């Protein structure tokens, strides 16, 4: 094994950065009102990760954090829902979930219940699923249980049973859940917005699939995806918490070192980088749809969900830092612009937010809020207005500093736990080689100025914004038209998320 310092240069300046930000904040006085003085940041030495790569291609990253009692085990497969075959949306997530339904290890077969009992006896729970650009399975246990937990993880990863009865049961459960979620305006809006932003591209379909696509899953299809993508040279094992690097690496070698990768497969086939839909005209959303509001008419909806989405300009780590900060200013917390305007000033929602979907390929920004059906048109207008402000106005320095501090504080709090460390490392790995580590990321965010943030926002062209409202269309369609909006309406019963244009396919 060829050990080297961890690739991420993880966390080197985080505590110093947050401490400096806090020291710059003015202390409260009696005249300031109710706020007490801000305490100094607690001392904390960030752990130094250690990485090694086995002969079979498996990368192992250990981030020791002594004294935290727990150890998080996170197996990261560098293939996610973007590899779902045509007509099989959701297969990657389904396969990851099916890993925990039973095993056929050389030491003896175990059912899903037996695997769950084994995890519970260790004080943990097996978690598995897929997302964009990665599939993950993991468990968190106390440090003395590390060896047994890692052995359990190796069992379900290397020797899944994929029994026909288990697959059939999971298929029925998944279809029922998806049908239930299709009654939730928030879920429907998120799925439709992604399809509008990404078109027929790989990121356009739901990670969980649709009732129609999941109904077509077979045991053979699940086994084929597992055989092709679940291999050591397509994986990273991340261990964080109360353990020594030598201990973690030795256990990993014992349980995974003899796992042969099998027939070589090109990296591009295992973990493809998905280009922007505009780079593939046949996959792109229709340019004619850019200025319209797509309404999904759910006549029995008690409230509406409003979403505005946009593909983000591609770029290096600096562009990602700006995207993170722009998202924080727009809708990253209680004091963000969307929440201030929509919830606090107008009382139109219990909360409005913005979310960033960063991928190896094209990324996206989404703004969303749930509101009364009658207020949907007003909420959409506010979202457009706030995005336009970011394009035309400089963000005041005080507001920018507050958002930077919030991002740094959130990261520092997460890094205090084994799970938070594992999640941070996994996120860095998923985003790809352009990322320079968490300390560099926070330093990069700190370096963003009001001027560079506005320059980045100006790349988000108004014509690229895709608007979606899911709710009782009778309550807001006329208001949208009075605002000069072009409205296209699809009834919920006619919505087909498997189709790029979202319209139901012709009867077969």
């Amino acid at each position: 094994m060829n050990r080297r310092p961890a690739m991420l240069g993880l966390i080197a300046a985080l505590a110093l950065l947050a401490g400096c930000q806090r020291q710059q904040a003015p202390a409260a006085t009696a005249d300031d009102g109710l706020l007490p003085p801000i305490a100094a940041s607690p001392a904390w030495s960030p752990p130094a990760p250690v990485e090694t790569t086995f002969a079979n291609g498996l990368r192992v990253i250990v981030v020791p954090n002594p004294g935290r009692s727990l150890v998080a085990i996170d197996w990261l497969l560098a293939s996610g829902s973007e590899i779902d075959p045509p007509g099989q949306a959701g297969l990657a997530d389904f396969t990851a979930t099916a890993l925990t339904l039973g095993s056929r290890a050389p030491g003896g077969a175990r059912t899903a219940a037996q695997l769950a009992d084994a995890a519970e006896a260790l004080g943990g729970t097996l978690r598995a699923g897929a997302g964009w650009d990665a599939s993950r399975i993991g468990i968190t246990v106390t440090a003395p249980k590390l060896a047994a937990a890692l052995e359990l993880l190796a069992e379900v990863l290397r020797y899944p049973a994929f029994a026909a009865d288990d697959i059939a049961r999971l298929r029925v459960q998944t279809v029922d859940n998806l049908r239930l979620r299709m009654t939730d305006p928030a879920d429907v809006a998120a799925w439709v917005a992604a399809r509008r932003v990404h078109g027929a591209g790989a990121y356009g379909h739901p990670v969980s699939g649709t009732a129609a696509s999941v109904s077509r899953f077979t045991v053979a299809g699940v086994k084929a995806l597992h055989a092709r993508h679940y291999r050591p040279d397509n994986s990273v094992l991340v261990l964080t918490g109360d353990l020594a690097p030598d201990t973690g690496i030795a256990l990993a070698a014992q349980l995974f070192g003899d796992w042969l990768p099998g027939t070589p497969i090109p990296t591009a086939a295992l973990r493809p980088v998905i280009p922007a839909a505009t780079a593939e005209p046949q996959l792109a959303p229709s340019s004619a749809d850019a200025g319209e509001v797509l309404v999904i008419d759910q006549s029995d909806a008690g409230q509406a969900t409003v979403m505005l989405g946009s593909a983000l300009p591609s770029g290096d780590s600096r562009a990602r830092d700006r995207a993170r900060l722009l998202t924080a200013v727009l809708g990253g917390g209680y004091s963000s612009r969307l929440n201030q305007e929509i919830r606090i000033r107008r009382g139109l929602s219990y909360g409005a937010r913005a979310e960033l979907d960063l991928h190896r390929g094209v990324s996206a920004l989404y703004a969303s809020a749930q509101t009364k059906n009658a207020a949907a048109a007003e909420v959409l207008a506010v979202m457009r207005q706030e995005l336009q402000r970011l394009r035309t106005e400089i963000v005041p320095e005080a507001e920018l500093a507050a958002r930077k501090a919030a991002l740094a504080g959130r990261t520092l709090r997460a890094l205090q736990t084994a799970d938070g460390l594992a999640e941070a490392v996994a996120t860095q790995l998923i985003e790809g080689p352009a990322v320079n580590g968490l300390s560099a990321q926070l330093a990069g965010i700190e370096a963003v100025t009001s001027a560079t943030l506005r320059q980045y926002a100006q790349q988000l062209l108004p014509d690229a914004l895709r608007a979606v409202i899911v709710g009782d269309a009778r309550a807001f369609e006329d208001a949208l038209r009075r605002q000069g909006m072009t409205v296209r309406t699809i009834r919920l019963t006619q919505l087909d998320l498997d189709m790029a244009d979202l319209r139901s396919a012709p009867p077969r």
Side-chain angles (χ1 to χ4, degrees):
M1 295 183 294
N2 183 21
R3 186 177 304 182
R4 60 183 185 276
M7 42 74 188
L8 297 174
L10 195 68
I11 326 168
L14 290 185
L16 177 61
L17 174 61
C20 290
Q21 289 169 337
R22 292 210 176 186
Q23 291 168 11
Q24 291 167 0
T29 67
D31 294 332
D32 290 329
L34 301 177
L35 293 177
I38 298 175
S41 297
W44 180 62
S45 298
V50 175
E51 178 184 349
T52 189
T53 301
F54 295 161
N56 61 7
L58 174 65
R59 296 168 65 190
V60 180
I61 297 175
V62 181
V63 188
N65 199 8
R68 302 295 176 182
S69 302
L70 298 178
V71 176
I73 304 170
D74 199 351
W75 182 281
L76 189 73
L77 187 77
S79 302
S81 296
E82 74 285 351
I83 64 167
D84 286 342
Q88 300 282 298
L91 185 60
D93 186 48
F94 188 91
T95 300
T97 304
L99 291 171
T100 64
L101 298 182
S103 66
R104 292 182 178 174
R110 286 203 273 190
T111 65
Q114 290 171 329
L115 290 173
D117 287 345
E120 186 175 343
L122 297 173
T125 302
L126 284 170
R127 51 185 184 270
W132 297 122
D133 304 319
S135 301
R136 295 169 65 179
I137 180 167
I139 185 171
T140 301
V141 296
T142 57
K145 305 293 185 181
L146 170 61
L150 199 55
E151 185 175 357
L152 180 63
L153 194 77
E155 179 179 342
V156 298
L157 274 167
R158 298 184 61 177
Y159 308 106
F162 294 144
D165 289 348
D166 293 331
I167 296 299
R169 190 180 305 110
L170 179 61
R171 186 170 54 233
V172 170
Q173 293 171 346
T174 305
V175 168
D176 286 347
N177 181 56
L178 287 168
R179 286 174 176 160
L180 178 62
R181 293 180 67 185
M182 282 294 290
T183 66
D184 185 341
D187 281 335
V188 175
W191 289 331
V192 172
R195 182 62 87 182
R196 292 208 71 201
V197 168
H198 296 291
Y203 295 132
H205 68 268
V207 165
S208 53
T210 65
S213 67
V214 173
S215 297
R216 294 190 288 267
F217 292 170
T218 65
V219 173
V222 170
K223 287 183 175 180
L225 188 145
H226 181 270
R228 179 175 175 82
H229 291 277
Y230 281 78
R231 40 192 295 149
D233 57 346
N234 192 38
S235 303
V236 184
L237 175 62
V238 179
L239 304 173
T240 64
D242 192 9
L243 79 163
D246 287 346
T247 300
I249 291 170
L251 285 171
Q254 177 184 338
L255 294 167
F256 298 103
D258 64 343
W259 187 0
L260 300 178
T263 304
I265 298 177
T267 299
L270 288 173
R271 39 186 185 272
V273 175
I274 309 302
T278 52
E280 301 179 78
Q282 73 276 15
L283 302 180
S286 169
S287 59
D289 295 343
E292 73 178 10
V293 180
L294 179 59
V295 172
I296 307 301
D297 183 15
Q298 184 178 353
S299 58
D300 61 348
Q303 61 182 1
T305 295
V306 182
M307 289 198 74
L308 198 59
S310 176
L312 293 176
S314 58
D316 55 13
S317 60
R318 289 182 302 174
R320 291 174 182 265
D321 294 338
R322 293 168 187 174
R324 285 186 171 93
L325 190 53
L326 183 143
T327 304
V329 170
L330 181 64
Y334 187 81
S335 59
S336 66
R337 290 186 171 191
L338 287 179
N339 201 60
Q340 286 283 323
E341 189 64 34
I342 294 173
R343 173 179 175 167
I344 298 173
R345 294 196 179 101
R346 301 181 185 232
L348 298 177
S349 175
Y350 283 114
R353 61 180 182 176
E355 294 181 302
L356 188 61
D357 272 359
L358 288 174
H359 305 309
R360 281 199 298 261
V362 62
S363 299
L365 170 69
Y366 298 98
S368 65
Q370 291 182 295
T371 187
K372 299 177 295 184
N373 282 297
E378 182 180 356
V379 168
L380 178 60
V382 172
M383 288 180 177
R384 289 181 178 274
Q385 169 189 312
E386 291 303 325
L387 276 167
Q388 181 63 12
R389 281 183 61 204
L390 287 171
R391 297 181 70 250
T392 58
E393 300 177 10
I394 290 288
V395 176
E397 287 299 326
E399 181 182 3
L400 199 63
R403 292 295 91 203
K404 289 177 180 180
L407 285 174
R410 189 179 306 125
T411 300
L412 284 167
R413 287 193 301 274
L415 293 175
Q416 300 296 314
T417 68
D419 284 343
L421 276 171
E423 179 67 27
V425 175
T427 299
Q428 297 288 292
L429 292 167
I430 291 169
E431 290 180 11
V435 179
N436 296 320
L438 290 173
S439 57
Q441 180 187 112
L442 285 189
I445 290 172
E446 181 65 20
V448 177
T449 66
S450 294
T452 55
L453 189 64
R454 183 175 66 173
Q455 290 170 2
Y456 182 80
Q458 288 172 344
Q459 298 178 60
L460 302 176
L461 302 178
D463 288 346
L465 298 179
R466 292 329 200 247
V468 175
I469 302 178
V470 181
D472 187 348
R474 296 169 297 181
F476 52 79
E477 275 185 324
D478 288 345
L480 290 170
R481 292 189 176 98
R482 286 195 296 272
Q483 292 178 5
M485 304 286 189
T486 301
V487 179
R488 177 164 65 102
T489 302
I490 301 176
R491 291 183 181 176
L492 182 64
T493 54
Q494 297 174 330
L495 179 66
D496 189 343
L497 293 165
D498 286 312
M499 303 294 288
D501 64 1
L502 298 165
R503 298 177 178 88
S504 296
R508 295 184 177 87

